[in-house]
């Protein structure tokens, strides 16, 4: 098991982590793939390619999913083993873009506190 870089190591420079460099490489590779519209300016690609790279490179699997504006699908991928995570957005045209990534992922099941009664 590899050591986890500190949160400050996400910036490029002397403290840059191996994961950051791999993610940058993934972003560059995905950006080179054909994509449509505004997605061309971000790290985007076909959903199956993006998901396969997250699984193969980081061991991340889908942890949650949600529907956003314009029927865009937001997904959180994470690795229980390493704690790494990635948030993606997939457009209705099937183009998936990397939005954010990080470390120290934890699964939570928090509930709202009971509503107070005014009576």
């Amino acid at each position: 098991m590899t050591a986890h870089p500190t949160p400050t190591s996400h910036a490029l420079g002397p403290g840059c982590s191996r994961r950051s460099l791999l993610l940058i490489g993934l972003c560059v590779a995905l950006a080179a793939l054909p994509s449509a519209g505004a997605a061309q300016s971000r790290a985007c690609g076909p959903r199956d390619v993006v998901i396969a790279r997250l699984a193969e490179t980081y061991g991340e699997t889908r942890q949650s999913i949600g529907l956003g504006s314009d029927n865009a699908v937001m997904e959180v991928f994470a690795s229980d083993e390493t704690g790494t995570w990635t948030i993606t957005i997939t457009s209705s045209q099937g183009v998936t873009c990397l939005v954010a990534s990080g470390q120290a992922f934890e699964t939570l099941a928090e509930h709202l506190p009971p509503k107070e009664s005014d009576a």
Side-chain angles (χ1 to χ4, degrees):
M1 186 171 195
T2 60
H4 296 289
T6 62
T8 57
S9 67
H10 280 283
L12 290 176
C16 186
S17 71
R18 183 172 185 262
R19 174 171 165 70
S20 295
L21 291 175
L22 288 172
L23 188 56
I24 290 168
L26 174 63
C27 292
V28 169
L30 292 174
L33 295 172
S35 57
Q40 289 181 349
S41 63
R42 295 191 278 174
C44 304
R47 185 178 184 283
D48 58 338
V49 172
V50 173
I51 303 317
R53 294 263 173 93
L54 291 175
E56 293 166 7
T57 307
Y58 305 110
E60 295 179 0
T61 59
R62 188 169 60 183
Q63 304 291 315
S64 61
I65 188 170
L67 189 61
S69 62
D70 297 328
N71 291 321
V73 176
M74 181 280 309
E75 296 171 288
V76 176
F77 293 85
S79 168
D80 292 330
E81 186 175 315
T82 65
T84 62
W85 57 266
T86 304
I87 299 174
T88 65
I89 301 289
T90 302
S91 71
S92 57
Q93 292 80 30
V95 176
T96 299
C97 297
L98 302 176
V99 176
S101 66
Q103 305 170 72
F105 181 82
E106 294 183 34
T107 301
L108 301 176
E110 296 180 346
H111 301 282
L112 291 173
K115 292 185 180 181
E116 294 185 30
S117 173
D118 288 350

